[in-house]
Amino acid sequence: MCDQTFLVNVFGSCDKCFKQRALRPVFKKSQQLSYCSICAEIMATDGLHENETLASLKSEAESLKGKLEEERAKLHDVELHQVAERVEALGQFVMKTRRTLKGHGNKVLCMDWCKDKRRIVSSSQDGKVIVWDSFTTNKEHAVTMPCTWVMACAYAPSGCAIACGGLDNKCSVYPLTFDKNENMAAKKKSVAMHTNYLSACSFTNSDMQILTASGDGTCALWDVESGQLLQSFHGHGADVLCLDLAPSETGNTFVSGGCDKKAMVWDMRSGQCVQAFETHESDINSVRYYPSGDAFASGSDDATCRLYDLRADREVAIYSKESIIFGASSVDFSLSGRLLFAGYNDYTINVWDVLKGSRVSILFGHENRVSTLRVSPDGTAFCSGSWDHTLRVWA
Amino acid sequence: MEVWDVPQIKKEVESLKYHLAFTREMSFKTILETLMWIEDAIPKDLFLNPDLMKNNPWVEKGKVRILI
């Protein structure tokens, strides 16, 4: 076998100065460009003030991270499981599939409940978005998207519209009509436009605004009527995979998680990241606020779920077992917040005691990865979607 | 080789300063309040109350008998 090492230089036209030189790849806002070494050096020093260097900025960032850990440690006087020792243990659970929704032709990627606690919207790799009456398992609406991999969908608060998107890089809103002669696709409104795939979307407290997350590393808030960008959220260093809005009583914030292993909490009005947590060891696939709004849970490819206390500004629990080695794709809390439901890539759903950190139940049924999971608005059931093409309602 | 984006690092520094200025609370206080919140909410949580589960619309009321 040849053991020589080769240095390969790519020659071509620089994307900035257009001169024919040896090129190197550079990344500007997640887009790859080819710059010559001179333009790359100039780019690296753009925006620096006097006495500022890249090294000094990086050093300042590291110093601030160290101070942040010190401040957090000062208020870390007790662990959650210690305080929870006095809490009574939970009894046995009997939870099973009550409904199976069949109809998608490929992997189910996302689902959301309507506020009426009965209708569900789901989206799939097959390019279809289906609205179900989950109680009767009837399909009420179906839309075929122009792309496959519809990775995100959401129900409007009024129940009169749905939003969806995926590999088309857009978030589109479809008003729901019960007129059989009306074509839903004809009423489609393109609201959000990202430069990479849409990974998550959620209406805010009204049908008028949508929050989106994208593979382009940003989140954004949009006006549905005009399609105008109201606020953008920059800070993730890689694809953003999930988001969740704070319960309306607790203020105008949301949390996002991404491939940079960070969970970030944002102020929706200013666009400022107000808190960030970087304790996961791999991509964060799902984030969900605690019902009180003072904490949130995350699910990650590192096979753990974690709980973060926003007021103490730290991670307070890790939900993991040695036997669980597959990623957690989706998490949600029961009504009281005592239970955490988590769907995994090993086809199972684990139910965790949030306070004691122990697993109280494991649910089998899906025949492929669980990709999405949401508790119903009244807490009477939860729905899971899977790569086995089905959705299941559990209670 | 990736060239660092100066605006990105500046944004990170600004974000870290903002985060450092955040007013934190003692873990014992916040955890205790979470426990109290859960205790108040448990009576309404169907998954934790077998009595409430009997009236859960998703749970079958009776069994099907097949007559041969």
Side-chain angles (χ1 to χ4, degrees):
Chain A
M1 186 173 165
C2 179
D3 60 359
Q4 290 178 320
T5 305
F6 293 92
L7 174 65
V8 177
N9 271 329
V10 176
F11 285 83
S13 172
C14 171
D15 283 335
K16 192 165 166 63
C17 65
F18 307 110
K19 290 185 179 161
Q20 294 289 324
R21 286 188 173 139
L23 301 175
R24 51 199 278 207
V26 300
F27 291 86
K28 214 171 180 182
K29 296 194 191 322
S30 308
Q31 191 190 357
Q32 183 174 340
L33 303 164
S34 297
Y35 278 13
C36 63
S37 53
I38 295 168
C39 289
E41 287 300 319
I42 292 169
M43 181 190 141
T45 53
D46 272 350
L48 288 170
H49 293 138
E50 205 177 326
N51 300 325
E52 258 184 5
T53 61
L54 270 174
S56 70
L57 281 172
K58 284 184 194 176
S59 170
E60 188 179 3
E62 288 308 312
S63 163
L64 285 166
K65 284 179 186 173
K67 284 182 189 164
L68 194 52
E69 284 315 306
E70 281 172 21
E71 289 302 311
R72 280 169 162 163
K74 280 180 194 171
L75 299 166
H76 179 188
D77 56 345
V78 74
E79 298 287 346
L80 173 61
H81 65 84
Q82 288 172 316
V83 179
E85 268 170 14
R86 66 178 184 88
V87 177
E88 216 174 292
L90 293 171
Q92 279 286 345
F93 280 97
V94 176
M95 220 176 279
K96 55 182 187 174
T97 302
R98 304 294 176 174
R99 299 289 191 279
T100 303
L101 308 180
K102 294 183 181 179
H104 277 297
N106 215 316
K107 305 177 178 79
V108 176
L109 301 175
C110 188
M111 59 79 44
D112 191 20
W113 286 91
C114 178
K115 281 199 160 64
D116 70 1
K117 303 160 267 189
R118 184 168 170 142
R119 286 177 178 79
I120 280 174
V121 62
S122 62
S123 63
S124 166
Q125 187 194 342
D126 66 4
K128 290 204 173 32
V129 178
I130 298 176
V131 174
W132 312 78
D133 177 341
S134 60
F135 211 73
T136 62
T137 74
N138 289 338
K139 299 177 200 52
E140 292 192 341
H141 299 92
V143 176
T144 302
M145 294 284 285
C147 64
T148 57
W149 287 89
V150 189
M151 297 150 112
C153 62
Y155 230 115
S158 68
C160 297
I162 54 165
C164 53
L167 286 187
D168 58 352
N169 299 357
K170 292 182 201 171
C171 184
S172 303
V173 173
Y174 293 83
L176 295 174
T177 170
F178 286 93
D179 183 350
K180 288 196 167 100
N181 297 323
E182 204 160 352
N183 180 8
M184 262 181 75
K187 297 263 179 175
K188 164 183 161 178
K189 188 181 287 199
S190 287
V191 175
M193 193 65 162
H194 281 276
T195 55
N196 210 323
Y197 64 89
L198 188 85
S199 55
C201 62
S202 176
F203 284 88
T204 59
N205 296 332
S206 79
D207 288 15
M208 292 295 104
Q209 291 181 357
I210 279 187
L211 194 57
T212 57
S214 170
D216 65 15
T218 70
C219 297
L221 181 67
W222 310 83
D223 178 85
V224 171
E225 190 59 40
S226 63
Q228 189 187 353
L229 174 68
L230 299 173
Q231 185 62 265
S232 62
F233 306 90
H234 297 259
H236 276 287
D239 305 25
V240 187
L241 299 179
C242 50
L243 62 82
D244 191 36
L245 272 148
S248 49
E249 308 80 40
T250 59
N252 290 309
T253 61
F254 73 95
V255 61
S256 62
C259 292
D260 57 356
K261 310 173 199 172
K262 278 193 204 170
M264 301 177 83
V265 182
W266 306 86
D267 181 319
M268 281 173 68
R269 283 168 290 203
S270 64
Q272 178 74 46
C273 169
V274 296
Q275 287 173 276
F277 303 90
E278 203 172 351
T279 61
H280 271 294
E281 294 168 16
S282 189
D283 301 2
I284 297 175
N285 299 313
S286 176
V287 286
R288 191 72 68 219
Y289 266 93
Y290 197 74
S292 69
D294 291 329
F296 70 91
S298 57
S300 166
D301 273 351
D302 67 9
T304 71
C305 298
R306 297 177 193 232
L307 185 69
Y308 297 89
D309 183 328
L310 289 167
R311 288 158 59 196
D313 189 35
R314 47 179 284 268
E315 176 192 287
V316 293
I318 303 178
Y319 307 100
S320 66
K321 279 176 94 70
E322 268 189 44
S323 55
I324 300 174
I325 58 171
F326 285 83
S329 61
S330 195
V331 297
D332 204 354
F333 289 100
S334 69
L335 210 62
S336 64
R338 180 71 193 263
L339 299 175
L340 179 69
F341 302 103
Y344 289 77
N345 293 341
D346 64 0
Y347 314 177
T348 66
I349 294 166
N350 289 312
V351 187
W352 299 92
D353 181 333
V354 167
L355 297 181
K356 295 197 180 286
S358 55
R359 183 172 66 182
V360 294
S361 190
I362 177 168
L363 304 176
F364 300 96
H366 279 298
E367 295 169 11
N368 210 317
R369 289 190 188 192
V370 177
S371 51
T372 180
L373 184 155
R374 293 295 293 264
V375 173
S376 67
D378 59 354
T380 55
F382 70 89
C383 180
S384 58
S386 167
W387 281 18
D388 68 8
H389 308 187
T390 71
L391 296 110
R392 285 174 179 248
V393 178
W394 307 78
Chain B
M1 189 176 82
E2 186 177 338
V3 175
W4 279 97
D5 189 330
V6 167
Q8 204 171 354
I9 299 182
K10 281 195 163 186
K11 204 169 178 64
E12 197 188 349
V13 167
E14 184 192 328
S15 190
L16 283 164
K17 285 179 182 170
Y18 199 97
H19 195 173
L20 194 58
F22 181 82
T23 306
R24 289 164 198 82
E25 297 179 51
M26 296 294 286
S27 293
F28 184 72
K29 177 174 180 278
T30 62
I31 290 172
L32 208 55
E33 285 173 12
T34 299
L35 253 68
M36 286 163 56
W37 198 95
I38 290 177
E39 272 176 37
D40 287 344
I42 276 181
K44 292 173 256 178
D45 192 335
L46 267 79
F47 294 125
L48 300 172
N49 290 282
D51 290 336
L52 288 180
M53 234 358 179
K54 289 175 195 163
N55 297 322
N56 188 332
W58 294 100
V59 174
E60 299 85 10
K61 294 280 181 292
K63 294 185 178 162
V64 173
R65 291 192 307 161
I66 301 172
L67 304 174
I68 300 171

